[in-house]
Amino acid sequence: MNKKLLFVTVLVIATCGLIYELIVGALASYLLGDSITQFSTVIGCYLFAMGIGSWLSRFVERGLAQRFVEVELAVALIGGSCAPLLFLTFAFTDVFRVVLYGSVLLIGTLVGLEIPLLLRLLKDELQFKDLVSQVLTFDYLGALAASISFPLLFVPKLGLVRTSLLFGLLNALVGLWSTWLLQPVLAHPNRLRVKAVLLSLFLVAGLVMGERLNNFSEEHLFSDEVVHATSSPYQRIVLTRGKRGFSLYLNGNLQFASVDEYRYHEALVHPAVTRAGKLERVLVLGGGDGLAAREILKYPEVQHLTLVDLDPAMTGLALRWNELAELNGRALEDPRMRVLNTDAMQFLREDTSHWDVIVVDFPDPNNFALGKLYTTGFYRLLKRRLAPDGVAVIQSTSPLYARRSFWCVDTTLRAAGFWTHPYHALVPSFGEWGYVLVAHEAAAPRRPLAGGLRFLSEDTLDTLFHFPADMSPLPAEVNRLNNQVLVHYYEEEWRRWN
Protein backbone atom coordinates (compact mmCIF):
# COMPACT_ATOMS: atom_id res chain seq x y z
CA MET A 1 0.00 0.00 0.00
CA ASN A 2 1.08 3.57 -0.68
CA LYS A 3 0.92 5.03 2.84
CA LYS A 4 1.37 8.63 1.67
CA LEU A 5 -1.63 8.44 -0.63
CA LEU A 6 -3.67 6.81 2.11
CA PHE A 7 -2.92 9.76 4.40
CA VAL A 8 -4.01 12.09 1.60
CA THR A 9 -7.18 10.01 1.54
CA VAL A 10 -7.66 10.72 5.25
CA LEU A 11 -7.24 14.45 4.56
CA VAL A 12 -9.85 14.42 1.81
CA ILE A 13 -12.45 12.35 3.63
CA ALA A 14 -12.08 14.49 6.77
CA THR A 15 -12.60 17.64 4.70
CA CYS A 16 -15.63 16.14 2.98
CA GLY A 17 -17.13 14.93 6.26
CA LEU A 18 -17.02 18.35 7.89
CA ILE A 19 -18.27 20.06 4.72
CA TYR A 20 -21.43 17.93 4.77
CA GLU A 21 -21.98 18.87 8.41
CA LEU A 22 -21.57 22.58 7.61
CA ILE A 23 -23.84 22.34 4.55
CA VAL A 24 -26.69 20.77 6.50
CA GLY A 25 -26.28 23.22 9.39
CA ALA A 26 -26.22 26.23 7.05
CA LEU A 27 -29.16 24.96 5.03
CA ALA A 28 -31.20 24.33 8.18
CA SER A 29 -30.48 27.85 9.44
CA TYR A 30 -31.40 29.33 6.03
CA LEU A 31 -34.74 27.53 5.92
CA LEU A 32 -35.70 27.27 9.59
CA GLY A 33 -33.97 30.31 11.12
CA ASP A 34 -32.27 30.46 14.55
CA SER A 35 -28.78 29.57 13.37
CA ILE A 36 -27.43 28.63 16.81
CA THR A 37 -30.20 26.09 17.43
CA GLN A 38 -29.85 24.58 13.97
CA PHE A 39 -26.06 24.31 14.04
CA SER A 40 -26.10 23.04 17.62
CA THR A 41 -28.60 20.26 16.93
CA VAL A 42 -27.02 19.32 13.59
CA ILE A 43 -23.51 19.13 15.08
CA GLY A 44 -24.74 17.19 18.10
CA CYS A 45 -26.63 14.64 15.98
CA TYR A 46 -23.72 14.36 13.54
CA LEU A 47 -21.15 13.64 16.27
CA PHE A 48 -23.55 11.17 17.90
CA ALA A 49 -23.96 9.41 14.56
CA MET A 50 -20.17 9.29 14.08
CA GLY A 51 -19.99 7.53 17.43
CA ILE A 52 -22.55 5.00 16.20
CA GLY A 53 -20.49 4.46 13.04
CA SER A 54 -17.30 3.94 15.03
CA TRP A 55 -19.09 1.42 17.25
CA LEU A 56 -20.55 -0.41 14.26
CA SER A 57 -17.09 -0.76 12.70
CA ARG A 58 -16.28 -3.46 15.28
CA PHE A 59 -18.75 -5.79 13.53
CA VAL A 60 -16.90 -5.55 10.20
CA GLU A 61 -14.53 -8.52 10.44
CA ARG A 62 -13.92 -9.52 6.83
CA GLY A 63 -13.25 -7.63 3.64
CA LEU A 64 -12.18 -4.42 5.37
CA ALA A 65 -10.87 -2.84 2.18
CA GLN A 66 -14.04 -3.73 0.29
CA ARG A 67 -16.21 -2.24 3.04
CA PHE A 68 -14.06 0.91 3.20
CA VAL A 69 -14.53 1.63 -0.50
CA GLU A 70 -18.25 0.86 -0.30
CA VAL A 71 -18.60 3.28 2.62
CA GLU A 72 -16.77 5.96 0.62
CA LEU A 73 -19.17 5.53 -2.29
CA ALA A 74 -22.18 5.62 0.05
CA VAL A 75 -20.91 8.86 1.66
CA ALA A 76 -20.38 10.29 -1.83
CA LEU A 77 -23.95 9.51 -2.86
CA ILE A 78 -25.76 10.59 0.32
CA GLY A 79 -23.49 13.48 1.30
CA GLY A 80 -23.22 14.77 -2.26
CA SER A 81 -26.99 14.68 -2.72
CA CYS A 82 -27.92 16.09 0.70
CA ALA A 83 -28.30 19.78 -0.25
CA PRO A 84 -30.45 19.32 -3.39
CA LEU A 85 -32.49 16.65 -1.60
CA LEU A 86 -33.16 18.92 1.38
CA PHE A 87 -34.08 21.92 -0.77
CA LEU A 88 -36.54 19.80 -2.76
CA THR A 89 -37.94 18.24 0.42
CA PHE A 90 -38.55 21.68 1.92
CA ALA A 91 -40.22 22.90 -1.26
CA PHE A 92 -42.51 19.92 -1.91
CA THR A 93 -43.17 18.08 1.37
CA ASP A 94 -43.98 18.57 5.05
CA VAL A 95 -41.30 16.15 6.30
CA PHE A 96 -38.28 18.43 6.04
CA ARG A 97 -37.09 17.93 9.63
CA VAL A 98 -37.38 14.15 9.32
CA VAL A 99 -35.28 14.13 6.15
CA LEU A 100 -32.86 16.70 7.63
CA TYR A 101 -32.01 14.71 10.74
CA GLY A 102 -32.26 11.40 8.90
CA SER A 103 -29.58 12.68 6.50
CA VAL A 104 -27.41 13.90 9.38
CA LEU A 105 -27.62 10.55 11.15
CA LEU A 106 -26.92 8.55 8.00
CA ILE A 107 -23.99 10.66 6.80
CA GLY A 108 -22.54 10.84 10.32
CA THR A 109 -22.76 7.07 10.75
CA LEU A 110 -20.98 6.45 7.45
CA VAL A 111 -18.29 9.04 8.19
CA GLY A 112 -17.83 7.45 11.62
CA LEU A 113 -17.07 4.14 9.92
CA GLU A 114 -14.33 5.54 7.68
CA ILE A 115 -11.44 6.23 10.08
CA PRO A 116 -11.76 3.03 12.17
CA LEU A 117 -11.75 0.93 8.99
CA LEU A 118 -8.76 2.82 7.64
CA LEU A 119 -6.87 2.44 10.93
CA ARG A 120 -7.40 -1.30 10.79
CA LEU A 121 -6.23 -1.42 7.18
CA LEU A 122 -3.00 0.37 8.15
CA LYS A 123 -2.30 -1.43 11.44
CA ASP A 124 0.25 -3.74 9.87
CA GLU A 125 2.04 -0.91 8.08
CA LEU A 126 2.91 1.34 11.04
CA GLN A 127 3.47 1.16 14.79
CA PHE A 128 0.33 1.96 16.72
CA LYS A 129 1.53 5.32 18.11
CA ASP A 130 2.63 6.49 14.64
CA LEU A 131 -0.54 5.19 13.05
CA VAL A 132 -2.88 7.02 15.42
CA SER A 133 -0.89 10.27 15.47
CA GLN A 134 -0.56 10.50 11.69
CA VAL A 135 -4.14 9.53 10.86
CA LEU A 136 -5.59 11.93 13.42
CA THR A 137 -3.22 14.72 12.32
CA PHE A 138 -4.46 14.48 8.74
CA ASP A 139 -8.03 14.13 9.98
CA TYR A 140 -7.81 17.41 11.94
CA LEU A 141 -6.00 19.17 9.08
CA GLY A 142 -8.88 18.21 6.81
CA ALA A 143 -11.35 19.65 9.31
CA LEU A 144 -9.38 22.92 9.39
CA ALA A 145 -9.33 23.11 5.58
CA ALA A 146 -13.09 22.58 5.46
CA SER A 147 -13.92 25.13 8.15
CA ILE A 148 -11.91 27.87 6.42
CA SER A 149 -12.79 27.16 2.80
CA PHE A 150 -16.52 26.59 3.33
CA PRO A 151 -17.55 30.18 4.24
CA LEU A 152 -14.81 32.00 2.34
CA LEU A 153 -14.72 30.08 -0.92
CA PHE A 154 -17.33 27.44 -1.57
CA VAL A 155 -20.59 29.03 -0.36
CA PRO A 156 -20.06 32.41 -2.08
CA LYS A 157 -18.65 30.89 -5.28
CA LEU A 158 -20.71 27.72 -5.68
CA GLY A 159 -23.63 27.90 -3.26
CA LEU A 160 -24.78 25.05 -1.03
CA VAL A 161 -26.13 22.75 -3.76
CA ARG A 162 -23.04 22.69 -5.95
CA THR A 163 -20.71 22.56 -2.93
CA SER A 164 -22.55 19.45 -1.75
CA LEU A 165 -22.27 17.82 -5.17
CA LEU A 166 -18.59 18.80 -5.56
CA PHE A 167 -17.58 17.17 -2.30
CA GLY A 168 -19.69 14.14 -3.10
CA LEU A 169 -17.64 13.88 -6.29
CA LEU A 170 -14.42 14.12 -4.25
CA ASN A 171 -15.61 11.26 -2.05
CA ALA A 172 -16.44 9.21 -5.15
CA LEU A 173 -12.96 9.85 -6.53
CA VAL A 174 -11.47 8.80 -3.19
CA GLY A 175 -13.41 5.57 -3.53
CA LEU A 176 -12.14 5.17 -7.09
CA TRP A 177 -8.46 5.72 -6.35
CA SER A 178 -8.76 3.52 -3.26
CA THR A 179 -9.51 0.60 -5.58
CA TRP A 180 -5.91 0.93 -6.84
CA LEU A 181 -4.34 1.74 -3.46
CA LEU A 182 -6.03 -1.26 -1.87
CA GLN A 183 -6.07 -3.56 -4.91
CA PRO A 184 -3.97 -6.31 -3.28
CA VAL A 185 -6.61 -6.79 -0.57
CA LEU A 186 -9.74 -6.17 -2.66
CA ALA A 187 -11.83 -9.12 -3.80
CA HIS A 188 -13.67 -7.36 -6.67
CA PRO A 189 -11.87 -4.11 -7.54
CA ASN A 190 -13.37 -3.82 -11.04
CA ARG A 191 -16.94 -3.93 -9.78
CA LEU A 192 -16.15 -1.14 -7.33
CA ARG A 193 -14.51 0.90 -10.11
CA VAL A 194 -17.60 0.65 -12.26
CA LYS A 195 -19.77 1.82 -9.34
CA ALA A 196 -17.38 4.67 -8.57
CA VAL A 197 -17.28 5.83 -12.20
CA LEU A 198 -21.07 5.71 -12.56
CA LEU A 199 -21.50 7.60 -9.29
CA SER A 200 -18.92 10.18 -10.38
CA LEU A 201 -20.76 10.73 -13.65
CA PHE A 202 -24.02 11.14 -11.76
CA LEU A 203 -22.47 13.78 -9.47
CA VAL A 204 -20.80 15.57 -12.39
CA ALA A 205 -24.21 15.78 -14.07
CA GLY A 206 -25.59 17.20 -10.82
CA LEU A 207 -22.81 19.80 -10.75
CA VAL A 208 -23.61 20.85 -14.31
CA MET A 209 -27.31 21.06 -13.46
CA GLY A 210 -26.68 22.47 -9.97
CA GLU A 211 -27.99 25.97 -10.59
CA ARG A 212 -31.06 24.61 -12.37
CA LEU A 213 -31.75 22.31 -9.42
CA ASN A 214 -31.45 25.25 -7.06
CA ASN A 215 -33.70 27.45 -9.20
CA PHE A 216 -36.24 24.64 -9.57
CA SER A 217 -36.56 24.22 -5.81
CA GLU A 218 -36.71 27.99 -5.23
CA GLU A 219 -39.42 28.42 -7.85
CA HIS A 220 -41.60 26.20 -5.69
CA LEU A 221 -40.57 27.90 -2.44
CA PHE A 222 -41.78 31.26 -3.75
CA SER A 223 -45.18 31.93 -5.25
CA ASP A 224 -43.75 34.26 -7.93
CA GLU A 225 -41.14 33.79 -10.64
CA VAL A 226 -37.53 33.90 -9.41
CA VAL A 227 -35.72 36.49 -11.52
CA HIS A 228 -32.45 36.71 -9.58
CA ALA A 229 -30.81 34.46 -6.99
CA THR A 230 -27.34 34.51 -5.52
CA SER A 231 -25.53 33.28 -2.43
CA SER A 232 -23.13 35.47 -0.49
CA PRO A 233 -21.03 34.50 2.54
CA TYR A 234 -23.82 35.99 4.66
CA GLN A 235 -27.14 35.08 3.09
CA ARG A 236 -29.17 33.79 0.16
CA ILE A 237 -30.55 36.71 -1.88
CA VAL A 238 -33.59 36.07 -4.08
CA LEU A 239 -35.66 38.49 -6.16
CA THR A 240 -39.04 37.41 -7.49
CA ARG A 241 -41.48 39.06 -9.86
CA GLY A 242 -45.27 38.68 -9.89
CA LYS A 243 -48.52 40.62 -9.81
CA ARG A 244 -47.29 42.74 -6.89
CA GLY A 245 -44.19 43.83 -8.77
CA PHE A 246 -40.92 42.37 -7.53
CA SER A 247 -39.98 41.24 -4.03
CA LEU A 248 -36.72 40.73 -2.15
CA TYR A 249 -36.13 37.71 0.08
CA LEU A 250 -33.11 37.18 2.32
CA ASN A 251 -32.70 33.58 3.51
CA GLY A 252 -36.31 32.98 2.52
CA ASN A 253 -37.70 35.92 4.53
CA LEU A 254 -39.55 38.71 2.70
CA GLN A 255 -37.77 42.08 3.00
CA PHE A 256 -40.04 44.15 0.77
CA ALA A 257 -42.52 44.01 -2.09
CA SER A 258 -42.19 46.85 -4.57
CA VAL A 259 -45.96 47.43 -4.63
CA ASP A 260 -46.09 48.70 -1.03
CA GLU A 261 -42.51 49.12 0.22
CA TYR A 262 -43.04 52.91 0.20
CA ARG A 263 -45.36 52.52 3.21
CA TYR A 264 -42.68 50.71 5.19
CA HIS A 265 -39.83 53.07 4.26
CA GLU A 266 -41.78 56.30 4.63
CA ALA A 267 -42.87 55.17 8.10
CA LEU A 268 -39.30 54.13 8.93
CA VAL A 269 -37.58 57.37 7.93
CA HIS A 270 -39.82 60.44 8.11
CA PRO A 271 -41.05 60.40 11.73
CA ALA A 272 -37.40 60.46 12.85
CA VAL A 273 -36.29 63.08 10.32
CA THR A 274 -39.05 65.51 11.32
CA ARG A 275 -37.87 65.45 14.96
CA ALA A 276 -34.11 65.79 14.48
CA GLY A 277 -32.40 69.05 15.44
CA LYS A 278 -30.24 68.95 12.31
CA LEU A 279 -30.07 66.84 9.16
CA GLU A 280 -26.52 67.36 8.01
CA ARG A 281 -25.15 63.90 8.86
CA VAL A 282 -27.31 60.79 8.57
CA LEU A 283 -26.38 57.16 9.17
CA VAL A 284 -28.28 54.08 7.92
CA LEU A 285 -27.42 50.71 9.46
CA GLY A 286 -28.65 47.86 7.26
CA GLY A 287 -30.92 48.92 4.43
CA GLY A 288 -28.57 47.68 1.72
CA ASP A 289 -31.44 47.85 -0.81
CA GLY A 290 -31.12 51.67 -0.77
CA LEU A 291 -34.81 52.30 -0.14
CA ALA A 292 -34.38 54.01 3.23
CA ALA A 293 -31.60 56.11 1.67
CA ARG A 294 -34.04 57.18 -1.06
CA GLU A 295 -36.39 58.64 1.56
CA ILE A 296 -33.60 60.41 3.46
CA LEU A 297 -32.24 62.05 0.32
CA LYS A 298 -35.60 63.78 -0.25
CA TYR A 299 -34.40 66.37 2.28
CA PRO A 300 -31.97 68.90 0.76
CA GLU A 301 -30.51 69.64 4.22
CA VAL A 302 -28.78 66.24 4.18
CA GLN A 303 -25.10 66.77 3.38
CA HIS A 304 -23.59 63.37 4.23
CA LEU A 305 -25.36 60.01 4.20
CA THR A 306 -23.43 56.88 5.21
CA LEU A 307 -24.95 53.43 4.67
CA VAL A 308 -23.39 50.52 6.57
CA ASP A 309 -24.46 47.10 5.32
CA LEU A 310 -22.49 43.91 5.96
CA ASP A 311 -23.11 42.30 2.57
CA PRO A 312 -21.49 43.79 -0.57
CA ALA A 313 -23.66 41.45 -2.65
CA MET A 314 -26.75 43.30 -1.41
CA THR A 315 -25.47 46.83 -1.95
CA GLY A 316 -24.04 45.75 -5.32
CA LEU A 317 -27.45 44.46 -6.34
CA ALA A 318 -29.04 47.78 -5.30
CA LEU A 319 -26.59 49.54 -7.61
CA ARG A 320 -26.56 47.22 -10.60
CA TRP A 321 -29.95 45.49 -10.82
CA ASN A 322 -31.82 48.02 -12.90
CA GLU A 323 -35.32 47.59 -11.43
CA LEU A 324 -34.05 47.86 -7.85
CA ALA A 325 -31.82 50.82 -8.73
CA GLU A 326 -34.83 52.59 -10.26
CA LEU A 327 -36.97 51.79 -7.23
CA ASN A 328 -34.41 53.25 -4.84
CA GLY A 329 -34.07 56.33 -7.07
CA ARG A 330 -30.41 55.43 -7.69
CA ALA A 331 -29.76 56.63 -4.17
CA LEU A 332 -26.48 54.75 -3.88
CA GLU A 333 -25.10 56.84 -6.77
CA ASP A 334 -25.91 60.15 -5.07
CA PRO A 335 -22.73 62.25 -4.43
CA ARG A 336 -23.78 62.70 -0.78
CA MET A 337 -23.77 58.92 -0.33
CA ARG A 338 -21.05 56.70 1.16
CA VAL A 339 -21.50 52.91 1.30
CA LEU A 340 -19.47 50.80 3.74
CA ASN A 341 -19.63 47.00 3.76
CA THR A 342 -18.76 46.15 7.32
CA ASP A 343 -20.31 44.87 10.53
CA ALA A 344 -22.57 47.52 12.09
CA MET A 345 -21.50 46.78 15.65
CA GLN A 346 -17.83 47.00 14.70
CA PHE A 347 -18.52 50.25 12.85
CA LEU A 348 -20.14 51.83 15.90
CA ARG A 349 -17.24 50.73 18.10
CA GLU A 350 -14.66 52.30 15.79
CA ASP A 351 -16.57 55.34 14.52
CA THR A 352 -15.97 58.62 16.36
CA SER A 353 -18.59 60.70 14.54
CA HIS A 354 -21.89 61.99 15.87
CA TRP A 355 -24.94 61.59 13.68
CA ASP A 356 -28.03 63.79 13.49
CA VAL A 357 -30.27 60.91 12.40
CA ILE A 358 -29.59 57.18 12.63
CA VAL A 359 -31.90 54.75 10.82
CA VAL A 360 -31.55 51.12 11.94
CA ASP A 361 -33.07 48.85 9.29
CA PHE A 362 -31.87 45.35 10.16
CA PRO A 363 -33.76 42.15 9.32
CA ASP A 364 -35.92 40.77 12.11
CA PRO A 365 -34.12 39.08 15.05
CA ASN A 366 -34.85 35.53 13.90
CA ASN A 367 -31.39 34.22 14.88
CA PHE A 368 -28.68 35.05 17.39
CA ALA A 369 -26.39 36.68 14.82
CA LEU A 370 -29.12 39.28 14.22
CA GLY A 371 -30.32 39.27 17.81
CA LYS A 372 -27.02 40.81 18.98
CA LEU A 373 -27.99 43.94 17.01
CA TYR A 374 -31.07 44.36 19.26
CA THR A 375 -29.26 44.14 22.62
CA THR A 376 -28.48 46.75 25.27
CA GLY A 377 -24.82 46.50 24.27
CA PHE A 378 -25.55 47.50 20.69
CA TYR A 379 -27.98 50.25 21.71
CA ARG A 380 -25.45 51.78 24.10
CA LEU A 381 -22.98 51.99 21.21
CA LEU A 382 -25.74 53.61 19.17
CA LYS A 383 -26.44 56.12 21.93
CA ARG A 384 -22.79 57.23 22.01
CA ARG A 385 -22.88 57.98 18.29
CA LEU A 386 -26.17 59.94 18.34
CA ALA A 387 -25.80 63.75 18.40
CA PRO A 388 -27.20 65.53 21.51
CA ASP A 389 -30.31 66.67 19.63
CA GLY A 390 -30.27 63.69 17.27
CA VAL A 391 -32.99 61.10 16.70
CA ALA A 392 -32.74 57.41 15.80
CA VAL A 393 -35.34 54.89 14.66
CA ILE A 394 -35.27 51.10 14.85
CA GLN A 395 -37.46 48.76 12.83
CA SER A 396 -38.87 46.46 15.48
CA THR A 397 -40.99 43.67 13.90
CA SER A 398 -44.79 43.49 14.17
CA PRO A 399 -46.57 44.68 17.34
CA LEU A 400 -49.54 42.56 16.28
CA TYR A 401 -48.00 39.23 15.22
CA ALA A 402 -44.98 39.41 17.55
CA ARG A 403 -46.32 41.70 20.25
CA ARG A 404 -43.97 40.73 23.08
CA SER A 405 -40.98 40.87 20.72
CA PHE A 406 -41.90 44.42 19.73
CA TRP A 407 -42.21 45.61 23.31
CA CYS A 408 -39.00 43.77 24.20
CA VAL A 409 -37.19 46.04 21.72
CA ASP A 410 -38.77 49.10 23.38
CA THR A 411 -37.88 47.82 26.88
CA THR A 412 -34.29 47.14 25.79
CA LEU A 413 -33.89 50.61 24.31
CA ARG A 414 -35.13 52.21 27.52
CA ALA A 415 -32.73 50.02 29.51
CA ALA A 416 -29.92 51.40 27.33
CA GLY A 417 -30.85 54.94 28.42
CA PHE A 418 -32.98 56.15 25.51
CA TRP A 419 -36.23 58.08 25.58
CA THR A 420 -38.52 55.99 23.37
CA HIS A 421 -41.63 56.71 21.32
CA PRO A 422 -42.96 53.52 19.66
CA TYR A 423 -45.27 53.61 16.66
CA HIS A 424 -46.68 51.38 13.91
CA ALA A 425 -47.93 51.42 10.32
CA LEU A 426 -49.90 49.07 8.09
CA VAL A 427 -47.80 47.54 5.28
CA PRO A 428 -50.03 45.08 3.39
CA SER A 429 -47.18 42.68 2.54
CA PHE A 430 -46.22 42.45 6.22
CA GLY A 431 -49.35 43.46 8.12
CA GLU A 432 -49.05 45.86 11.03
CA TRP A 433 -45.38 46.78 11.41
CA GLY A 434 -43.62 48.44 14.30
CA TYR A 435 -40.85 50.96 14.86
CA VAL A 436 -39.35 52.68 17.88
CA LEU A 437 -38.27 56.31 17.73
CA VAL A 438 -35.49 57.13 20.21
CA ALA A 439 -33.55 60.17 21.41
CA HIS A 440 -31.53 61.34 24.42
CA GLU A 441 -34.61 63.19 25.63
CA ALA A 442 -38.17 63.75 24.42
CA ALA A 443 -38.09 64.88 20.79
CA ALA A 444 -40.82 67.14 19.40
CA PRO A 445 -41.59 67.72 15.68
CA ARG A 446 -39.25 70.36 14.25
CA ARG A 447 -39.70 70.38 10.48
CA PRO A 448 -42.38 69.54 7.89
CA LEU A 449 -42.42 66.31 5.95
CA ALA A 450 -40.74 66.18 2.58
CA GLY A 451 -43.02 66.68 -0.41
CA GLY A 452 -44.23 63.96 -2.72
CA LEU A 453 -44.86 61.25 -0.12
CA ARG A 454 -47.37 58.57 -1.06
CA PHE A 455 -48.38 57.40 2.41
CA LEU A 456 -47.59 59.88 5.17
CA SER A 457 -49.01 63.37 5.56
CA GLU A 458 -48.94 65.97 8.33
CA ASP A 459 -52.46 64.88 9.31
CA THR A 460 -51.74 61.16 9.51
CA LEU A 461 -48.27 61.26 11.09
CA ASP A 462 -49.48 61.54 14.70
CA THR A 463 -51.92 58.64 14.28
CA LEU A 464 -49.00 56.22 13.93
CA PHE A 465 -48.16 56.65 17.62
CA HIS A 466 -51.53 55.39 18.92
CA PHE A 467 -51.81 51.66 19.71
CA PRO A 468 -55.10 49.75 19.91
CA ALA A 469 -55.66 47.29 22.74
CA ASP A 470 -54.41 44.24 20.83
CA MET A 471 -51.02 45.92 20.26
CA SER A 472 -50.69 47.72 23.60
CA PRO A 473 -47.57 47.26 25.78
CA LEU A 474 -46.72 43.90 27.31
CA PRO A 475 -44.09 43.24 29.99
CA ALA A 476 -40.88 41.86 28.48
CA GLU A 477 -37.35 41.12 29.61
CA VAL A 478 -34.41 43.23 28.50
CA ASN A 479 -32.59 41.66 25.55
CA ARG A 480 -28.95 41.26 26.54
CA LEU A 481 -26.08 39.70 24.65
CA ASN A 482 -25.75 36.84 27.12
CA ASN A 483 -29.42 35.82 27.05
CA GLN A 484 -30.85 36.96 23.68
CA VAL A 485 -34.38 36.59 25.05
CA LEU A 486 -35.72 38.50 22.05
CA VAL A 487 -34.79 35.69 19.65
CA HIS A 488 -36.78 33.24 21.79
CA TYR A 489 -39.78 35.59 21.96
CA TYR A 490 -39.62 36.11 18.22
CA GLU A 491 -39.38 32.43 17.32
CA GLU A 492 -42.23 31.48 19.66
CA GLU A 493 -44.59 34.23 18.44
CA TRP A 494 -43.99 33.92 14.71
CA ARG A 495 -44.27 30.13 14.85
CA ARG A 496 -47.99 30.60 15.56
CA TRP A 497 -48.44 32.49 12.28
CA ASN A 498 -46.13 30.50 9.98
Side-chain angles (χ1 to χ4, degrees), residues 186-205:
L186 282 173
H188 304 289
N190 289 330
R191 291 183 191 174
L192 292 173
R193 287 169 190 157
V194 170
K195 291 178 182 178
V197 169
L198 291 174
L199 179 55
S200 298
L201 291 173
F202 168 75
L203 292 166
V204 167

Side-chain angles (χ1 to χ4, degrees), residues 50-180:
M50 287 179 67
I52 293 175
S54 298
W55 181 76
L56 289 175
S57 68
R58 66 185 296 191
F59 298 105
V60 181
E61 297 181 356
R62 297 181 181 180
L64 291 179
Q66 185 88 6
R67 298 295 169 262
F68 173 76
V69 177
E70 289 171 349
V71 166
E72 282 305 300
L73 298 182
V75 172
L77 176 62
I78 299 165
S81 304
C82 67
L85 174 65
L86 288 169
F87 269 120
L88 292 170
T89 302
F90 189 82
F92 292 103
T93 74
D94 296 322
V95 294
F96 175 76
R97 291 179 189 270
V98 174
V99 177
L100 173 74
Y101 290 104
S103 300
V104 171
L105 291 171
L106 190 53
I107 296 169
T109 300
L110 291 169
V111 171
L113 278 165
E114 290 174 317
I115 297 301
L117 293 178
L118 195 58
L119 284 169
R120 290 166 63 185
L121 285 168
L122 289 167
K123 66 181 176 59
D124 297 327
E125 305 289 327
L126 292 168
Q127 291 186 4
F128 181 74
K129 63 175 183 177
D130 294 327
L131 173 62
V132 172
S133 67
Q134 291 186 44
V135 167
L136 292 183
T137 296
F138 280 93
D139 187 44
Y140 296 143
L141 284 173
L144 175 64
S147 63
I148 294 172
S149 60
F150 179 75
L152 299 181
L153 177 62
F154 292 110
V155 171
K157 298 296 182 184
L158 296 178
L160 293 176
V161 168
R162 285 189 292 179
T163 298
S164 169
L165 292 161
L166 174 63
F167 280 88
L169 178 60
L170 284 177
N171 263 131
L173 294 176
V174 166
L176 183 59
W177 87 44
S178 296
T179 62
W180 277 279

Side-chain angles (χ1 to χ4, degrees), residues 25-43:
L27 197 149
S29 67
Y30 277 14
L31 298 176
L32 300 177
D34 190 357
S35 57
I36 288 184
T37 298
Q38 305 311 326
F39 270 102
S40 180
T41 54
V42 166
I43 290 170

Side-chain angles (χ1 to χ4, degrees), residues 335-405:
R336 295 171 287 174
M337 189 85 200
R338 177 177 64 145
V339 176
L340 298 176
N341 295 120
T342 188
D343 179 79
M345 184 173 276
Q346 190 66 28
F347 173 82
L348 290 179
R349 285 197 187 103
E350 297 173 355
D351 182 52
T352 58
S353 306
H354 286 90
W355 303 90
D356 301 317
V357 175
I358 302 177
V359 175
V360 182
D361 190 19
F362 296 136
D364 276 6
N366 59 15
N367 61 59
F368 292 100
L370 289 168
K372 73 174 185 178
L373 303 175
Y374 291 79
T375 59
T376 50
F378 181 82
Y379 292 146
R380 288 189 181 114
L381 289 173
L382 191 75
K383 193 170 187 290
R384 292 210 299 261
R385 301 277 66 87
L386 189 64
D389 58 351
V391 176
V393 62
I394 291 90
Q395 92 78 14
S396 307
T397 196
S398 171
L400 179 62
Y401 303 129
R403 185 176 167 192
R404 196 176 300 276
S405 300

Side-chain angles (χ1 to χ4, degrees), residues 185-231:
V185 289
L186 282 173
H188 304 289
N190 289 330
R191 291 183 191 174
L192 292 173
R193 287 169 190 157
V194 170
K195 291 178 182 178
V197 169
L198 291 174
L199 179 55
S200 298
L201 291 173
F202 168 75
L203 292 166
V204 167
L207 268 172
V208 173
M209 302 286 290
E211 198 60 29
R212 293 185 187 179
L213 284 171
N214 209 25
N215 291 340
F216 177 73
S217 61
E218 283 181 335
E219 283 169 3
H220 290 81
L221 282 175
F222 304 106
S223 57
D224 296 330
E225 176 193 7
V226 175
V227 293
H228 177 87
T230 187
S231 294

